[in-house]
Amino acid sequence: MKTFIGVDLGGTNVRAAVVREDGVIQCMKKSRSCPERGAESVMETMISLIESLEGYEDCEGIGMGIPGPIDTIGGKIIVSTNLPKLIGFPIAEYIEKHFQKPAYMDNDVKVAALGEAVLGAGKGYPIVYYVTISTGIGGALVIDQKVVSGQNGHAGEIGNICIDRNRKKYNILNAGAVENEASGTALTRKGKEILGEHISNAGDVFEMARGGDEKAIKLVDDMAYDMAMMLCAVGHIVDPHVFVVGGGVMKGKDVFFEKMERFYRTMIHDGMQSVVFKEALLEEPGIVGAAMLPMTKGRKLC
Amino acid sequence: MKTFIGVDLGGTNVRAAVVREDGVIQCMKKSRSCPERGAESVMETMISLIESLEGYEDCEGIGMGIPGPIDTIGGKIIVSTNLPKLIGFPIAEYIEKHFQKPAYMDNDVKVAALGEAVLGAGKGYPIVYYVTISTGIGGALVIDQKVVSGQNGHAGEIGNICIDRNRKKYNILNAGAVENEASGTALTRKGKEILGEHISNAGDVFEMARGGDEKAIKLVDDMAYDMAMMLCAVGHIVDPHVFVVGGGVMKGKDVFFEKMERFYRTMIHDGMQSVVFKEALLEEPGIVGAAMLPMTKGRKLC
């Protein structure tokens, strides 16, 4: 069975694994990424880590998932808060030269989306829309196992879609941006305001909703409705076969997921009701998805 | 130079043309479609029309643009108000068998989008988002010269995207659906309400705005803002290289187009500002775009 190297490069750690084409992780290792030491140092760390993996020489190619917008054609980071010294560095080319194997990179959300589309909850569906609800909200469109990155690597920045123009503006995002209204961060903020200062995360809000607290249930309903409103835009633009939803906030799926789907179905045309909602499946979408980049030839659609 | 047959099949007329690969229409003819006579009758009319075109035998393939959602894989109409007797009829297969040449079909908006992407204002751009603002509002995503149709042929039904949930519900579309707020029909309705009963179409509103009428200018500003809000969703989902805008309402482009673009640019991330706004170019996007279906191998992405 063919194998690929998947790398998850972040501001704190870099993880690398040998992944089989069926998604099984054969071995995985982790190291500090120490990005303050500069691009070449991070490259050497990544190379050593990969070379410490048993069987790395037999892999067909290398895929890397990295936070922030990625120039997938040039194999470079466009913008990064965690890895500023790596911006513009030809990462994919450097790794490709060293290993003499094809190397690709993409944004961490897009890589997770690819993993889910190829081997996870989206397997077998031609058009997969992946959504992650966590601290923030992000997404990715995967068509025929290729990720649509967009002109600037910003395709999928759905957290900035306005779901109600009459909300308050909190930050650089649009007033009413779904990320400021329905993310884990937003639910925590609203929980503190409405339910009290003892709310420390979205999980606390979900727990109160489970217990039957009406104000908490209202918060969850609103969050589900706001998410549905954003997904309604996705639906009318790409009419996907499946929505795959992942991210930390899915720990509250028993409380909000069915509601979100029900609201969504009231907002779309009759002819679009065949869409399916699924929970993300992979335990390590970042690593497995990154490994799928060379397997699916890496070159994204656009 | 290669040639293709482009067909524009509507509820009243069917038009067919021999189109060169550079988009030049060599000859075009029109006939009544008489859809009430049933599918086979319409097929015979279409076949006779095509066979009356000089040089039709030399064409490489046939492409058809038809209103409403299309099953592009099966080559069938899914839903149609104008051609109800043709729903489910294997149109593409029938035409393919008769002419022994590849035949494809897609929705009329998607076909126009393909024409613009291949030979019109979107030529040379990898990701084109085409928008038509007319009686209604529709769109289509074209990636690498392939149209994304969606699971149910509903990709691009952007008229139903909600741009402000606090608006009135007028019809089957969502309350605040952009089509009910910024289309030609919507502008006419609002014009009648605000400017007076003498307003008979969107052009009258544009004309008063040109003349400096403040209420008319406000209507146009609102329309431009509502359109920008919807395009903002498109932008964050697909991050296109270019928006190509067509449709009858573009007759008022001098009044609203720049405003719409300016509003849009305030709603998107800095890294997405390289997007370009263009006016649709083709004089016969429906016919030329339909002819591009066989040229671009017809098989849409999904």
Side-chain angles (χ1 to χ4, degrees), chain B residues 137-168:
Chain B
I137 292 175
L141 171 61
V142 189
I143 303 181
D144 288 341
Q145 304 196 340
K146 304 265 185 249
V147 174
V148 177
S149 290
Q151 175 184 189
N152 311 288
H154 278 67
E157 298 277 353
I158 54 175
N160 200 20
I161 292 177
C162 172
I163 49 83
D164 183 359
R165 60 171 77 179
N166 303 298
R167 307 277 175 102
K168 194 174 145 188

Side-chain angles (χ1 to χ4, degrees), chain A residues 126-127 129 141 143-144 148-167 172-174 222 225-226 229-230 232-242 266-276 300-302, chain B residues 126-127 129 141 143-144 148-167 172-174 222 225-226 229-230 232-242 266-276 300-302:
Chain A
I127 309 182
Y129 202 85
L141 171 60
I143 303 181
D144 288 342
V148 177
S149 289
Q151 176 183 193
N152 310 288
H154 279 67
E157 297 278 353
I158 54 175
N160 200 20
I161 292 177
C162 172
I163 48 84
D164 183 359
R165 60 172 76 178
N166 303 296
R167 307 277 174 101
I172 194 180
L173 300 181
N174 289 314
D222 289 350
Y225 193 87
D226 289 348
M229 183 69 82
M230 182 276 289
C232 166
V234 175
H236 288 105
I237 293 165
V238 301
D239 185 14
H241 293 75
V242 62
T266 66
M267 297 176 186
I268 57 165
H269 289 300
D270 286 350
M272 298 166 70
Q273 297 291 344
S274 55
V275 66
V276 179
K300 39 126 214 58
L301 273 166
C302 276
Chain B
I127 309 182
Y129 202 86
L141 171 61
I143 303 181
D144 288 341
V148 177
S149 290
Q151 175 184 189
N152 311 288
H154 278 67
E157 298 277 353
I158 54 175
N160 200 20
I161 292 177
C162 172
I163 49 83
D164 183 359
R165 60 171 77 179
N166 303 298
R167 307 277 175 102
I172 195 179
L173 300 180
N174 288 314
D222 289 350
Y225 193 87
D226 288 348
M229 182 69 82
M230 183 276 289
C232 165
V234 175
H236 288 104
I237 293 165
V238 301
D239 185 13
H241 293 75
V242 61
T266 67
M267 297 177 187
I268 56 165
H269 289 301
D270 286 349
M272 298 166 70
Q273 297 291 344
S274 55
V275 65
V276 178
K300 39 124 213 59
L301 272 167
C302 276

